[in-house]
Amino acid sequence: DADVTQTPRNRITKTGKRIMLECSQTKGHDRMYWYRQDPGLGLRLIYYSFDVKDINKGEISDGYSVSRQAQAKFSLSLESAIPNQTALYFCATSDLQVSSYNEQFFGPGTRLTVL
Amino acid sequence: QKEVEQDPGPLSVPEGAIVSLNCTYSNSAFQYFMWYRQYSRKGPELLMYTYSSGNKEDGRFTAQVDKSSKYISLFIRDSQPSDSATYLCAMRFQGAQKLVFGQGTRLTINP
């Protein structure tokens, strides 16, 4: 079984719709992250969380919100989707107790298309 | 100017060639340097990491950090078609939790 899972894997939606992307992990890690990947731009951090009560904005948080429902679950919401949010979204986890260089473990990604 | 710059390619080489992938960075405070490999339709996976400067070798892969030039490299010897992927460099500051990624280089090894 995959350690970091993301649902859905693919989603097509329309402008203005509310979308939630979900991430679950069985690695027992405390840190969780949401990234988006666009061609030519690499991975950009949207939000990150160091525990259930700790949520932090990344470099491109506008238009997004997150919820850390439990240590193992971290969801990303687009309240009103717009076409330039079309991208590949990745969830990742890490644990500084395990890896001093903060290795991040990525899920398989969600391909989101906003029409 | 981005903190980390990486040529997105694409880079196409014949099987068996030596591949050199590179990133430059602007902030001398970066201390941890990593290379992630991402196969098509998959999430990135850590391939190699180094702390501060120097070289690290793992099989056919060598990671090199030149802090004086703010330049890191990944060398792949005897490249195989299975090495075809996007390679992303990543780095972070001492004490920081966030990683800063390069744009990724798309590599194809032709049989």
Side-chain angles (χ1 to χ4, degrees):
Chain A
D1 288 340
D3 294 318
V4 184
T5 57
Q6 292 182 236
T7 56
R9 293 295 311 278
N10 290 282
R11 183 70 184 269
I12 299 173
T13 190
K14 294 183 179 180
T15 297
K17 294 290 187 181
R18 184 178 188 273
I19 295 296
M20 179 181 284
L21 309 183
E22 298 187 340
C23 176
S24 294
Q25 54 118 343
T26 58
K27 300 186 77 65
H29 289 172
D30 52 0
R31 290 160 169 74
M32 297 187 75
Y33 310 80
W34 275 105
Y35 292 91
R36 65 177 280 177
Q37 187 175 38
D38 300 273
L41 296 177
L43 284 163
R44 293 183 292 166
L45 184 63
I46 306 172
Y47 271 96
Y48 60 104
S49 169
F50 288 168
D51 64 42
V52 175
K53 297 179 181 178
D54 179 76
I55 304 288
N56 304 279
K57 292 183 177 181
E59 60 181 298
I60 53 162
S61 59
D62 288 348
Y64 301 96
S65 63
V66 291
S67 173
R68 184 83 183 263
Q69 301 95 323
Q71 188 199 31
K73 296 185 183 295
F74 192 36
S75 60
L76 176 72
S77 294
L78 287 68
E79 297 300 327
S80 181
I82 56 177
N84 77 359
Q85 291 177 313
T86 293
L88 192 52
Y89 290 84
F90 286 102
C91 174
T93 73
S94 71
D95 189 333
L96 211 60
Q97 303 284 347
V98 174
S99 162
S100 62
Y101 46 92
N102 200 30
E103 177 182 359
Q104 294 187 11
F105 296 84
F106 287 81
T110 294
R111 186 169 295 279
L112 177 66
T113 302
V114 183
L115 301 176
Chain B
Q1 182 189 6
K2 287 182 178 292
E3 276 191 294
V4 180
E5 296 275 4
Q6 183 177 8
D7 185 341
L11 180 62
S12 182
V13 301
E15 182 176 356
I18 295 173
V19 177
S20 172
L21 304 169
N22 310 294
C23 287
T24 59
Y25 60 95
S26 57
N27 195 325
S28 58
F30 284 125
Q31 290 282 0
Y32 293 89
F33 303 92
M34 284 144 275
W35 286 94
Y36 281 79
R37 179 174 61 194
Q38 183 180 16
Y39 290 116
S40 181
R41 302 186 183 280
K42 301 282 188 182
E45 293 180 306
L46 183 68
L47 181 62
M48 294 191 71
Y49 72 93
T50 52
Y51 172 70
S52 193
S53 59
N55 292 0
K56 186 170 185 177
E57 190 172 316
D58 183 2
R60 297 184 294 110
F61 298 89
T62 299
Q64 196 170 76
V65 175
D66 181 349
K67 294 197 76 180
S68 62
S69 301
K70 299 192 186 74
Y71 191 86
I72 69 170
S73 300
L74 177 71
F75 297 97
I76 307 175
R77 292 182 299 281
D78 188 25
S79 56
Q80 304 294 312
S82 58
D83 295 328
S84 297
T86 296
Y87 290 80
L88 301 109
C89 62
M91 46 196 81
R92 74 173 180 91
F93 307 115
Q94 181 81 29
Q97 308 305 317
K98 296 183 291 181
L99 296 180
V100 180
F101 285 87
Q103 297 94 317
T105 299
R106 188 172 179 180
L107 173 67
T108 300
I109 308 298
N110 300 302

mmCIF file of all heavy atoms in Angstrom, chain A residues 9 31 33 35 37 40-43 45 48 50 90 96 100-104 106-108, chain B residues 2 8 32 34 36 38 41-44 46 49 88 92 96-99 101-104:
data_model
loop_
_atom_site.group_PDB
_atom_site.id
_atom_site.type_symbol
_atom_site.label_atom_id
_atom_site.label_comp_id
_atom_site.label_asym_id
_atom_site.label_seq_id
_atom_site.Cartn_x
_atom_site.Cartn_y
_atom_site.Cartn_z
ATOM 1 N N ARG A 9 -7.311 11.429 -8.207
ATOM 2 C CA ARG A 9 -6.092 11.468 -9.009
ATOM 3 C C ARG A 9 -6.238 12.424 -10.185
ATOM 4 O O ARG A 9 -5.265 13.045 -10.618
ATOM 5 C CB ARG A 9 -5.747 10.075 -9.524
ATOM 6 C CG ARG A 9 -5.342 9.079 -8.446
ATOM 7 C CD ARG A 9 -4.031 9.475 -7.753
ATOM 8 N NE ARG A 9 -2.984 9.812 -8.688
ATOM 9 C CZ ARG A 9 -2.218 8.927 -9.294
ATOM 10 N NH1 ARG A 9 -2.374 7.644 -9.052
ATOM 11 N NH2 ARG A 9 -1.278 9.324 -10.140
ATOM 12 N N ARG A 31 4.928 16.338 9.701
ATOM 13 C CA ARG A 31 4.907 17.459 8.770
ATOM 14 C C ARG A 31 4.225 17.062 7.460
ATOM 15 O O ARG A 31 4.505 15.992 6.910
ATOM 16 C CB ARG A 31 6.324 17.932 8.484
ATOM 17 C CG ARG A 31 6.964 18.621 9.671
ATOM 18 C CD ARG A 31 8.472 18.663 9.573
ATOM 19 N NE ARG A 31 9.067 19.540 10.565
ATOM 20 C CZ ARG A 31 9.177 19.259 11.866
ATOM 21 N NH1 ARG A 31 8.727 18.127 12.333
ATOM 22 N NH2 ARG A 31 9.728 20.121 12.685
ATOM 23 N N TYR A 33 2.697 18.805 3.563
ATOM 24 C CA TYR A 33 2.877 19.924 2.640
ATOM 25 C C TYR A 33 1.945 19.752 1.432
ATOM 26 O O TYR A 33 1.641 18.632 1.031
ATOM 27 C CB TYR A 33 4.317 19.954 2.100
ATOM 28 C CG TYR A 33 5.400 19.862 3.143
ATOM 29 C CD1 TYR A 33 5.764 18.636 3.694
ATOM 30 C CD2 TYR A 33 6.094 20.999 3.552
ATOM 31 C CE1 TYR A 33 6.761 18.544 4.642
ATOM 32 C CE2 TYR A 33 7.106 20.918 4.494
ATOM 33 C CZ TYR A 33 7.442 19.683 5.039
ATOM 34 O OH TYR A 33 8.439 19.597 5.967
ATOM 35 N N TYR A 35 1.978 21.148 -2.586
ATOM 36 C CA TYR A 35 2.698 21.831 -3.657
ATOM 37 C C TYR A 35 1.838 21.809 -4.919
ATOM 38 O O TYR A 35 1.020 20.926 -5.117
ATOM 39 C CB TYR A 35 3.994 21.088 -4.004
ATOM 40 C CG TYR A 35 5.076 21.102 -2.969
ATOM 41 C CD1 TYR A 35 5.163 20.107 -2.000
ATOM 42 C CD2 TYR A 35 6.060 22.092 -2.990
ATOM 43 C CE1 TYR A 35 6.187 20.110 -1.071
ATOM 44 C CE2 TYR A 35 7.086 22.098 -2.059
ATOM 45 C CZ TYR A 35 7.149 21.104 -1.110
ATOM 46 O OH TYR A 35 8.175 21.105 -0.192
ATOM 47 N N GLN A 37 2.658 21.910 -9.210
ATOM 48 C CA GLN A 37 3.725 21.803 -10.193
ATOM 49 C C GLN A 37 3.194 22.264 -11.536
ATOM 50 O O GLN A 37 2.173 21.764 -12.014
ATOM 51 C CB GLN A 37 4.243 20.365 -10.282
ATOM 52 C CG GLN A 37 5.467 20.216 -11.171
ATOM 53 C CD GLN A 37 6.031 18.803 -11.138
ATOM 54 O OE1 GLN A 37 5.308 17.817 -11.090
ATOM 55 N NE2 GLN A 37 7.360 18.700 -11.146
ATOM 56 N N GLY A 40 7.888 24.202 -16.347
ATOM 57 C CA GLY A 40 8.841 25.308 -16.343
ATOM 58 C C GLY A 40 8.953 26.059 -15.028
ATOM 59 O O GLY A 40 9.814 26.920 -14.888
ATOM 60 N N LEU A 41 8.089 25.717 -14.068
ATOM 61 C CA LEU A 41 8.116 26.444 -12.781
ATOM 62 C C LEU A 41 8.495 25.553 -11.613
ATOM 63 O O LEU A 41 8.660 26.033 -10.495
ATOM 64 C CB LEU A 41 6.758 27.095 -12.505
ATOM 65 C CG LEU A 41 6.328 28.184 -13.480
ATOM 66 C CD1 LEU A 41 4.934 28.686 -13.123
ATOM 67 C CD2 LEU A 41 7.330 29.335 -13.476
ATOM 68 N N GLY A 42 8.583 24.261 -11.847
ATOM 69 C CA GLY A 42 8.963 23.371 -10.763
ATOM 70 C C GLY A 42 7.873 23.227 -9.724
ATOM 71 O O GLY A 42 6.685 23.456 -9.988
ATOM 72 N N LEU A 43 8.269 22.875 -8.525
ATOM 73 C CA LEU A 43 7.343 22.686 -7.410
ATOM 74 C C LEU A 43 7.285 23.956 -6.575
ATOM 75 O O LEU A 43 8.319 24.468 -6.145
ATOM 76 C CB LEU A 43 7.815 21.534 -6.520
ATOM 77 C CG LEU A 43 7.580 20.133 -7.055
ATOM 78 C CD1 LEU A 43 8.433 19.133 -6.299
ATOM 79 C CD2 LEU A 43 6.118 19.760 -6.928
ATOM 80 N N LEU A 45 5.470 25.751 -3.148
ATOM 81 C CA LEU A 45 4.805 25.400 -1.907
ATOM 82 C C LEU A 45 3.562 26.262 -1.702
ATOM 83 O O LEU A 45 3.631 27.489 -1.759
ATOM 84 C CB LEU A 45 5.789 25.583 -0.744
ATOM 85 C CG LEU A 45 5.321 25.188 0.641
ATOM 86 C CD1 LEU A 45 5.026 23.691 0.702
ATOM 87 C CD2 LEU A 45 6.388 25.555 1.666
ATOM 88 N N TYR A 48 1.880 24.479 4.369
ATOM 89 C CA TYR A 48 2.502 23.386 5.078
ATOM 90 C C TYR A 48 2.053 23.390 6.536
ATOM 91 O O TYR A 48 1.618 24.417 7.063
ATOM 92 C CB TYR A 48 4.033 23.422 4.972
ATOM 93 C CG TYR A 48 4.702 24.661 5.521
ATOM 94 C CD1 TYR A 48 5.362 24.630 6.752
ATOM 95 C CD2 TYR A 48 4.726 25.849 4.783
ATOM 96 C CE1 TYR A 48 5.997 25.763 7.245
ATOM 97 C CE2 TYR A 48 5.358 26.976 5.272
ATOM 98 C CZ TYR A 48 6.004 26.934 6.493
ATOM 99 O OH TYR A 48 6.637 28.045 6.975
ATOM 100 N N PHE A 50 3.041 21.633 10.465
ATOM 101 C CA PHE A 50 3.982 20.868 11.267
ATOM 102 C C PHE A 50 3.277 19.989 12.301
ATOM 103 O O PHE A 50 3.889 19.083 12.857
ATOM 104 C CB PHE A 50 4.985 21.787 11.949
ATOM 105 C CG PHE A 50 5.979 22.388 10.997
ATOM 106 C CD1 PHE A 50 6.794 23.431 11.395
ATOM 107 C CD2 PHE A 50 6.107 21.913 9.711
ATOM 108 C CE1 PHE A 50 7.712 23.987 10.516
ATOM 109 C CE2 PHE A 50 7.028 22.460 8.817
ATOM 110 C CZ PHE A 50 7.832 23.502 9.225
ATOM 111 N N PHE A 90 0.651 18.125 -5.551
ATOM 112 C CA PHE A 90 1.285 17.060 -4.777
ATOM 113 C C PHE A 90 1.177 17.348 -3.285
ATOM 114 O O PHE A 90 1.378 18.475 -2.836
ATOM 115 C CB PHE A 90 2.767 16.944 -5.130
ATOM 116 C CG PHE A 90 3.021 16.315 -6.465
ATOM 117 C CD1 PHE A 90 3.358 17.101 -7.561
ATOM 118 C CD2 PHE A 90 2.930 14.943 -6.633
ATOM 119 C CE1 PHE A 90 3.586 16.531 -8.791
ATOM 120 C CE2 PHE A 90 3.150 14.362 -7.867
ATOM 121 C CZ PHE A 90 3.485 15.158 -8.947
ATOM 122 N N LEU A 96 11.339 15.414 10.784
ATOM 123 C CA LEU A 96 12.709 15.836 11.073
ATOM 124 C C LEU A 96 13.398 14.898 12.065
ATOM 125 O O LEU A 96 14.621 14.826 12.123
ATOM 126 C CB LEU A 96 12.710 17.267 11.606
ATOM 127 C CG LEU A 96 13.954 18.095 11.282
ATOM 128 C CD1 LEU A 96 14.146 18.214 9.784
ATOM 129 C CD2 LEU A 96 13.850 19.464 11.925
ATOM 130 N N SER A 100 17.460 14.285 9.076
ATOM 131 C CA SER A 100 17.994 15.611 9.408
ATOM 132 C C SER A 100 17.963 16.544 8.211
ATOM 133 O O SER A 100 17.983 17.761 8.380
ATOM 134 C CB SER A 100 19.427 15.486 9.925
ATOM 135 O OG SER A 100 20.262 14.927 8.916
ATOM 136 N N TYR A 101 17.903 15.971 7.008
ATOM 137 C CA TYR A 101 17.846 16.831 5.826
ATOM 138 C C TYR A 101 16.413 17.023 5.347
ATOM 139 O O TYR A 101 16.192 17.566 4.286
ATOM 140 C CB TYR A 101 18.738 16.281 4.711
ATOM 141 C CG TYR A 101 18.574 14.801 4.481
ATOM 142 C CD1 TYR A 101 17.670 14.328 3.553
ATOM 143 C CD2 TYR A 101 19.321 13.888 5.191
ATOM 144 C CE1 TYR A 101 17.503 12.980 3.351
ATOM 145 C CE2 TYR A 101 19.157 12.528 5.000
ATOM 146 C CZ TYR A 101 18.246 12.078 4.082
ATOM 147 O OH TYR A 101 18.089 10.751 3.894
ATOM 148 N N ASN A 102 15.456 16.578 6.198
ATOM 149 C CA ASN A 102 14.036 16.819 5.949
ATOM 150 C C ASN A 102 13.572 16.228 4.621
ATOM 151 O O ASN A 102 12.890 16.892 3.825
ATOM 152 C CB ASN A 102 13.720 18.320 5.977
ATOM 153 C CG ASN A 102 12.246 18.590 6.217
ATOM 154 O OD1 ASN A 102 11.571 17.820 6.881
ATOM 155 N ND2 ASN A 102 11.734 19.674 5.656
ATOM 156 N N GLU A 103 13.956 14.965 4.371
ATOM 157 C CA GLU A 103 13.481 14.291 3.160
ATOM 158 C C GLU A 103 11.967 14.320 3.123
ATOM 159 O O GLU A 103 11.301 14.013 4.114
ATOM 160 C CB GLU A 103 13.953 12.840 3.137
ATOM 161 C CG GLU A 103 13.416 12.061 1.926
ATOM 162 C CD GLU A 103 13.835 10.609 1.933
ATOM 163 O OE1 GLU A 103 14.556 10.189 2.852
ATOM 164 O OE2 GLU A 103 13.424 9.886 0.988
ATOM 165 N N GLN A 104 11.447 14.693 1.987
ATOM 166 C CA GLN A 104 10.002 14.737 1.826
ATOM 167 C C GLN A 104 9.548 13.576 0.944
ATOM 168 O O GLN A 104 10.195 13.250 -0.044
ATOM 169 C CB GLN A 104 9.572 16.080 1.234
ATOM 170 C CG GLN A 104 9.848 17.227 2.201
ATOM 171 C CD GLN A 104 9.301 18.554 1.750
ATOM 172 O OE1 GLN A 104 8.532 18.648 0.810
ATOM 173 N NE2 GLN A 104 9.711 19.610 2.434
ATOM 174 N N PHE A 106 6.523 12.114 -1.325
ATOM 175 C CA PHE A 106 5.436 12.674 -2.106
ATOM 176 C C PHE A 106 4.368 11.644 -2.445
ATOM 177 O O PHE A 106 4.663 10.466 -2.648
ATOM 178 C CB PHE A 106 5.973 13.263 -3.415
ATOM 179 C CG PHE A 106 6.719 14.545 -3.234
ATOM 180 C CD1 PHE A 106 8.045 14.545 -2.826
ATOM 181 C CD2 PHE A 106 6.098 15.763 -3.457
ATOM 182 C CE1 PHE A 106 8.736 15.732 -2.645
ATOM 183 C CE2 PHE A 106 6.780 16.956 -3.285
ATOM 184 C CZ PHE A 106 8.099 16.942 -2.878
ATOM 185 N N GLY A 107 3.134 12.117 -2.517
ATOM 186 C CA GLY A 107 2.053 11.309 -3.047
ATOM 187 C C GLY A 107 2.125 11.253 -4.557
ATOM 188 O O GLY A 107 3.006 11.860 -5.176
ATOM 189 N N PRO A 108 1.173 10.550 -5.187
ATOM 190 C CA PRO A 108 1.204 10.359 -6.644
ATOM 191 C C PRO A 108 0.707 11.565 -7.440
ATOM 192 O O PRO A 108 0.848 11.604 -8.651
ATOM 193 C CB PRO A 108 0.285 9.160 -6.855
ATOM 194 C CG PRO A 108 -0.668 9.238 -5.713
ATOM 195 C CD PRO A 108 0.111 9.765 -4.556
ATOM 196 N N LYS B 2 15.096 33.825 -9.534
ATOM 197 C CA LYS B 2 14.705 32.737 -8.649
ATOM 198 C C LYS B 2 15.867 32.393 -7.738
ATOM 199 O O LYS B 2 17.033 32.529 -8.096
ATOM 200 C CB LYS B 2 14.341 31.514 -9.501
ATOM 201 C CG LYS B 2 13.014 31.645 -10.238
ATOM 202 C CD LYS B 2 12.732 30.368 -10.989
ATOM 203 C CE LYS B 2 11.401 30.420 -11.707
ATOM 204 N NZ LYS B 2 10.281 30.443 -10.761
ATOM 205 N N PRO B 8 15.397 23.667 -17.643
ATOM 206 C CA PRO B 8 14.325 22.674 -17.760
ATOM 207 C C PRO B 8 14.517 21.660 -18.882
ATOM 208 O O PRO B 8 13.781 20.674 -18.960
ATOM 209 C CB PRO B 8 13.081 23.528 -17.998
ATOM 210 C CG PRO B 8 13.597 24.773 -18.624
ATOM 211 C CD PRO B 8 14.948 25.014 -18.023
ATOM 212 N N TYR B 32 21.727 22.232 2.906
ATOM 213 C CA TYR B 32 21.324 20.877 2.534
ATOM 214 C C TYR B 32 20.924 20.881 1.056
ATOM 215 O O TYR B 32 20.119 21.706 0.645
ATOM 216 C CB TYR B 32 20.137 20.411 3.381
ATOM 217 C CG TYR B 32 20.462 20.221 4.838
ATOM 218 C CD1 TYR B 32 20.344 21.274 5.730
ATOM 219 C CD2 TYR B 32 20.884 18.987 5.321
ATOM 220 C CE1 TYR B 32 20.649 21.108 7.069
ATOM 221 C CE2 TYR B 32 21.178 18.807 6.657
ATOM 222 C CZ TYR B 32 21.061 19.878 7.527
ATOM 223 O OH TYR B 32 21.361 19.700 8.846
ATOM 224 N N MET B 34 19.708 18.459 -2.289
ATOM 225 C CA MET B 34 19.085 17.196 -2.644
ATOM 226 C C MET B 34 18.771 17.118 -4.129
ATOM 227 O O MET B 34 18.605 18.156 -4.788
ATOM 228 C CB MET B 34 17.762 17.033 -1.863
ATOM 229 C CG MET B 34 17.939 16.651 -0.432
ATOM 230 S SD MET B 34 16.693 17.425 0.635
ATOM 231 C CE MET B 34 17.452 19.005 0.931
ATOM 232 N N TYR B 36 15.936 15.079 -6.480
ATOM 233 C CA TYR B 36 14.767 14.225 -6.558
ATOM 234 C C TYR B 36 14.590 13.765 -8.008
ATOM 235 O O TYR B 36 14.881 14.508 -8.953
ATOM 236 C CB TYR B 36 13.504 14.986 -6.122
ATOM 237 C CG TYR B 36 13.328 15.109 -4.630
ATOM 238 C CD1 TYR B 36 14.039 16.045 -3.891
ATOM 239 C CD2 TYR B 36 12.436 14.270 -3.957
ATOM 240 C CE1 TYR B 36 13.864 16.153 -2.515
ATOM 241 C CE2 TYR B 36 12.263 14.370 -2.587
ATOM 242 C CZ TYR B 36 12.979 15.314 -1.880
ATOM 243 O OH TYR B 36 12.811 15.410 -0.519
ATOM 244 N N GLN B 38 11.710 12.241 -10.677
ATOM 245 C CA GLN B 38 10.263 12.133 -10.863
ATOM 246 C C GLN B 38 9.973 11.452 -12.199
ATOM 247 O O GLN B 38 10.223 12.009 -13.267
ATOM 248 C CB GLN B 38 9.625 13.530 -10.842
ATOM 249 C CG GLN B 38 8.113 13.499 -10.968
ATOM 250 C CD GLN B 38 7.503 14.894 -10.934
ATOM 251 O OE1 GLN B 38 8.181 15.905 -11.103
ATOM 252 N NE2 GLN B 38 6.205 14.968 -10.693
ATOM 253 N N ARG B 41 3.982 10.772 -14.407
ATOM 254 C CA ARG B 41 2.749 10.441 -13.674
ATOM 255 C C ARG B 41 3.005 9.923 -12.258
ATOM 256 O O ARG B 41 2.186 9.186 -11.689
ATOM 257 C CB ARG B 41 1.882 9.452 -14.450
ATOM 258 C CG ARG B 41 1.492 9.942 -15.824
ATOM 259 C CD ARG B 41 0.521 9.000 -16.507
ATOM 260 N NE ARG B 41 0.202 9.443 -17.852
ATOM 261 C CZ ARG B 41 -0.663 10.391 -18.139
ATOM 262 N NH1 ARG B 41 -1.322 10.999 -17.174
ATOM 263 N NH2 ARG B 41 -0.895 10.744 -19.382
ATOM 264 N N LYS B 42 4.151 10.308 -11.703
ATOM 265 C CA LYS B 42 4.487 9.911 -10.333
ATOM 266 C C LYS B 42 4.929 11.128 -9.545
ATOM 267 O O LYS B 42 5.247 12.171 -10.110
ATOM 268 C CB LYS B 42 5.629 8.886 -10.339
ATOM 269 C CG LYS B 42 5.352 7.614 -11.108
ATOM 270 C CD LYS B 42 4.489 6.668 -10.326
ATOM 271 C CE LYS B 42 4.387 5.331 -11.028
ATOM 272 N NZ LYS B 42 3.510 4.393 -10.293
ATOM 273 N N GLY B 43 4.958 10.974 -8.220
ATOM 274 C CA GLY B 43 5.513 12.025 -7.388
ATOM 275 C C GLY B 43 7.030 11.932 -7.346
ATOM 276 O O GLY B 43 7.604 10.876 -7.599
ATOM 277 N N PRO B 44 7.707 13.028 -7.010
ATOM 278 C CA PRO B 44 9.172 12.991 -6.894
ATOM 279 C C PRO B 44 9.624 12.066 -5.767
ATOM 280 O O PRO B 44 8.937 11.925 -4.753
ATOM 281 C CB PRO B 44 9.535 14.450 -6.565
ATOM 282 C CG PRO B 44 8.359 15.262 -6.997
ATOM 283 C CD PRO B 44 7.171 14.383 -6.794
ATOM 284 N N LEU B 46 13.260 11.067 -3.474
ATOM 285 C CA LEU B 46 14.624 11.489 -3.181
ATOM 286 C C LEU B 46 15.613 10.512 -3.793
ATOM 287 O O LEU B 46 15.536 9.298 -3.588
ATOM 288 C CB LEU B 46 14.846 11.571 -1.673
ATOM 289 C CG LEU B 46 16.222 12.067 -1.252
ATOM 290 C CD1 LEU B 46 16.399 13.531 -1.629
ATOM 291 C CD2 LEU B 46 16.428 11.880 0.248
ATOM 292 N N TYR B 49 21.342 13.125 -1.535
ATOM 293 C CA TYR B 49 21.435 14.347 -0.767
ATOM 294 C C TYR B 49 22.876 14.539 -0.313
ATOM 295 O O TYR B 49 23.637 13.582 -0.156
ATOM 296 C CB TYR B 49 20.510 14.307 0.452
ATOM 297 C CG TYR B 49 20.996 13.382 1.524
ATOM 298 C CD1 TYR B 49 21.800 13.837 2.578
ATOM 299 C CD2 TYR B 49 20.658 12.028 1.496
ATOM 300 C CE1 TYR B 49 22.257 12.966 3.552
ATOM 301 C CE2 TYR B 49 21.121 11.162 2.477
ATOM 302 C CZ TYR B 49 21.913 11.641 3.497
ATOM 303 O OH TYR B 49 22.347 10.787 4.454
ATOM 304 N N LEU B 88 14.842 16.991 -10.239
ATOM 305 C CA LEU B 88 14.671 18.277 -9.569
ATOM 306 C C LEU B 88 15.722 18.432 -8.482
ATOM 307 O O LEU B 88 15.897 17.529 -7.653
ATOM 308 C CB LEU B 88 13.292 18.383 -8.915
ATOM 309 C CG LEU B 88 12.074 18.253 -9.817
ATOM 310 C CD1 LEU B 88 11.368 16.940 -9.571
ATOM 311 C CD2 LEU B 88 11.108 19.404 -9.574
ATOM 312 N N ARG B 92 17.796 23.523 1.223
ATOM 313 C CA ARG B 92 17.200 24.240 2.348
ATOM 314 C C ARG B 92 18.290 24.814 3.241
ATOM 315 O O ARG B 92 19.447 24.392 3.213
ATOM 316 C CB ARG B 92 16.255 23.343 3.143
ATOM 317 C CG ARG B 92 16.901 22.303 4.019
ATOM 318 C CD ARG B 92 15.830 21.617 4.869
ATOM 319 N NE ARG B 92 16.378 20.592 5.734
ATOM 320 C CZ ARG B 92 16.786 20.813 6.974
ATOM 321 N NH1 ARG B 92 16.715 22.028 7.487
ATOM 322 N NH2 ARG B 92 17.253 19.811 7.712
ATOM 323 N N ALA B 96 15.882 25.474 8.758
ATOM 324 C CA ALA B 96 14.605 25.716 8.076
ATOM 325 C C ALA B 96 13.947 24.388 7.735
ATOM 326 O O ALA B 96 14.617 23.373 7.608
ATOM 327 C CB ALA B 96 14.834 26.521 6.807
ATOM 328 N N GLN B 97 12.641 24.416 7.596
ATOM 329 C CA GLN B 97 11.913 23.197 7.272
ATOM 330 C C GLN B 97 11.544 23.110 5.801
ATOM 331 O O GLN B 97 11.313 22.037 5.271
ATOM 332 C CB GLN B 97 10.629 23.122 8.110
ATOM 333 C CG GLN B 97 10.850 23.304 9.591
ATOM 334 C CD GLN B 97 11.854 22.322 10.137
ATOM 335 O OE1 GLN B 97 11.818 21.149 9.782
ATOM 336 N NE2 GLN B 97 12.753 22.786 10.978
ATOM 337 N N LYS B 98 11.460 24.252 5.151
ATOM 338 C CA LYS B 98 10.983 24.264 3.771
ATOM 339 C C LYS B 98 12.109 23.970 2.790
ATOM 340 O O LYS B 98 13.252 24.375 2.982
ATOM 341 C CB LYS B 98 10.361 25.620 3.441
ATOM 342 C CG LYS B 98 9.116 25.948 4.238
ATOM 343 C CD LYS B 98 8.521 27.260 3.796
ATOM 344 C CE LYS B 98 9.398 28.420 4.174
ATOM 345 N NZ LYS B 98 8.788 29.706 3.764
ATOM 346 N N LEU B 99 11.742 23.261 1.732
ATOM 347 C CA LEU B 99 12.664 23.027 0.636
ATOM 348 C C LEU B 99 12.378 24.021 -0.481
ATOM 349 O O LEU B 99 11.220 24.356 -0.734
ATOM 350 C CB LEU B 99 12.495 21.608 0.081
ATOM 351 C CG LEU B 99 12.831 20.445 0.999
ATOM 352 C CD1 LEU B 99 12.607 19.122 0.277
ATOM 353 C CD2 LEU B 99 14.258 20.544 1.513
ATOM 354 N N PHE B 101 12.812 24.290 -4.485
ATOM 355 C CA PHE B 101 13.057 23.415 -5.622
ATOM 356 C C PHE B 101 13.466 24.190 -6.854
ATOM 357 O O PHE B 101 13.011 25.323 -7.081
ATOM 358 C CB PHE B 101 11.791 22.618 -5.965
ATOM 359 C CG PHE B 101 11.485 21.495 -5.034
ATOM 360 C CD1 PHE B 101 10.747 21.721 -3.881
ATOM 361 C CD2 PHE B 101 11.942 20.213 -5.295
ATOM 362 C CE1 PHE B 101 10.454 20.677 -3.006
ATOM 363 C CE2 PHE B 101 11.660 19.170 -4.428
ATOM 364 C CZ PHE B 101 10.922 19.405 -3.286
ATOM 365 N N GLY B 102 14.308 23.554 -7.675
ATOM 366 C CA GLY B 102 14.549 24.057 -9.017
ATOM 367 C C GLY B 102 13.386 23.673 -9.913
ATOM 368 O O GLY B 102 12.459 22.971 -9.507
ATOM 369 N N GLN B 103 13.446 24.146 -11.164
ATOM 370 C CA GLN B 103 12.328 23.929 -12.087
ATOM 371 C C GLN B 103 12.241 22.487 -12.572
ATOM 372 O O GLN B 103 11.207 22.066 -13.087
ATOM 373 C CB GLN B 103 12.451 24.868 -13.299
ATOM 374 C CG GLN B 103 12.362 26.340 -12.966
ATOM 375 C CD GLN B 103 13.724 26.973 -12.745
ATOM 376 O OE1 GLN B 103 14.593 26.405 -12.092
ATOM 377 N NE2 GLN B 103 13.896 28.158 -13.284
ATOM 378 N N GLY B 104 13.334 21.736 -12.438
ATOM 379 C CA GLY B 104 13.350 20.364 -12.938
ATOM 380 C C GLY B 104 13.893 20.300 -14.352
ATOM 381 O O GLY B 104 13.590 21.169 -15.176
#
